[in-house]
Amino acid sequence: MKLKNKKIMIISPHLDDEIIGCGGLIDKAFRDKAELFIFYITSGKARNIDNNKVDGETKHETRVSELKKISDKWNFKWEILYTEDSIFLKLDTLPQRELIDKIEDKIYSIKPDILLLPFKDSYNQDHRAVFTAAIAALRPIPAKIRQFVPMVLMYDEPYTWSVGDIFKPNIYLDISGFEENKAKMMSYYASQDRQDPFPRSGNNLVRMTRIRGAEIGVMAAEAYTLLRGVIN
Ligand SMILES: [Zn+2]
């Protein structure tokens, strides 16, 4: 998959999912000078479970200031759809219709060549709500009426809890030699960065790229599931 001259859009339920699932792609897009837009769906105040306690709290403003450092360094554009504390981690309570319309409008204003969605069977209720809304937003409509998104991918996540479907990758990005950048990007989200054995620790994200790499015979890779692809 060549990223050069491509317009890429990532739909990220929260500020950090884009790094956890697509950090390698964001890093490669930056090196290849691809155009990248990240559409965050919600950010707000949340209870924080860090390495020592369960009673911490992270504010929206903290996460946005962390995001600004990442977007400045990796040179991408972004927007956050909902910043109200009352919606954060409650996307499952919004009418899907509202989420579908907002995601649909954004996709067709950006007109991406490659669009990436969160994992459909995440245990996180926001991730599942975003995935199902995005699928409806991407329903087939004649291309003469609305530009068709030719490649739709679903990105990996380390939150293995196999009560639903497990992630089945079938398309990979070789990031050998650059895998440590994923941990580096995650460290910018200081409020979200965790140590082992948290699934989203920088070390675990790098370990996952090595496991995915072995699946395609390289040292490190990021994995996705192809949901739709058009060959021209
Ligand atoms: Zn999330």
Side-chain angles (χ1 to χ4, degrees):
M1 183 163 79
K2 289 266 181 284
L3 298 183
K4 212 175 175 74
N5 301 322
K6 291 279 191 306
K7 198 184 273 188
I8 302 163
M9 176 172 170
I10 298 170
I11 300 185
S12 183
H14 310 119
L15 284 67
D16 73 356
D17 295 314
E18 80 289 16
I19 305 299
I20 294 166
C22 309
L25 181 90
I26 294 168
D27 191 42
K28 176 104 168 85
F30 173 62
R31 282 183 275 117
D32 287 1
K33 297 184 171 57
E35 202 178 320
L36 174 63
F37 177 81
I38 303 183
F39 192 38
Y40 298 96
I41 305 301
T42 172
S43 173
K45 190 169 66 179
R47 196 167 68 138
N48 214 7
I49 301 177
D50 71 14
N51 295 313
N52 304 306
K53 58 187 190 309
V54 189
D55 58 354
E57 196 176 78
T58 305
K59 292 190 170 59
H60 165 67
E61 294 73 19
T62 308
R63 294 182 78 156
V64 169
S65 71
E66 293 166 349
L67 167 60
K68 279 181 180 155
K69 288 180 197 149
I70 300 172
S71 63
D72 282 352
K73 193 160 172 54
W74 275 272
N75 193 33
F76 59 84
K77 293 196 172 67
W78 54 269
E79 193 179 311
I80 304 171
L81 179 57
Y82 300 110
T83 57
E84 301 91 329
D85 289 336
S86 58
I87 294 182
F88 186 54
L89 293 171
K90 291 181 185 168
L91 290 178
D92 56 322
T93 65
L94 276 185
Q96 275 276 296
R97 171 73 193 269
E98 181 179 326
L99 207 46
I100 292 165
D101 286 351
K102 302 232 188 253
I103 290 175
E104 187 175 354
D105 289 349
K106 190 52 67 182
I107 291 171
Y108 294 101
S109 72
I110 298 292
K111 298 185 173 54
D113 300 300
I114 303 169
L115 177 68
L116 293 107
L117 307 180
F119 179 46
K120 69 182 176 66
D121 283 308
S122 173
Y123 68 71
N124 187 292
Q125 64 282 5
D126 279 1
H127 291 215
R128 295 194 305 273
V130 170
F131 178 85
T132 52
I135 289 302
L138 288 159
R139 67 200 176 283
I141 286 179
K144 64 179 181 188
I145 297 173
R146 198 178 62 185
Q147 184 250 8
F148 201 77
V149 180
M151 181 180 267
V152 182
L153 304 173
M154 183 165 71
Y155 51 86
D156 204 355
E157 64 173 42
Y159 310 124
T160 307
W161 179 229
S162 51
V163 289
D165 207 2
I166 60 161
F167 187 77
K168 297 185 191 101
N170 57 16
I171 188 161
Y172 294 81
L173 177 70
D174 181 358
I175 57 166
S176 303
F178 297 97
E179 62 270 30
E180 297 287 345
N181 286 358
K182 233 178 136 156
K184 193 169 148 193
M185 293 167 115
M186 198 59 203
S187 72
Y188 279 77
Y189 275 124
S191 71
Q192 304 304 306
D193 197 18
R194 297 288 178 273
Q195 304 303 312
D196 281 338
F198 272 85
R200 66 167 183 263
S201 76
N203 283 341
N204 198 42
L205 297 183
V206 174
R207 269 197 297 274
M208 279 186 68
T209 69
R210 302 228 162 94
I211 292 166
R212 294 307 185 195
E215 293 170 9
I216 57 162
V218 302
M219 289 307 289
E222 212 163 59
Y224 321 91
T225 303
L226 179 66
L227 300 177
R228 187 166 77 194
V230 178
I231 299 169
N232 293 313

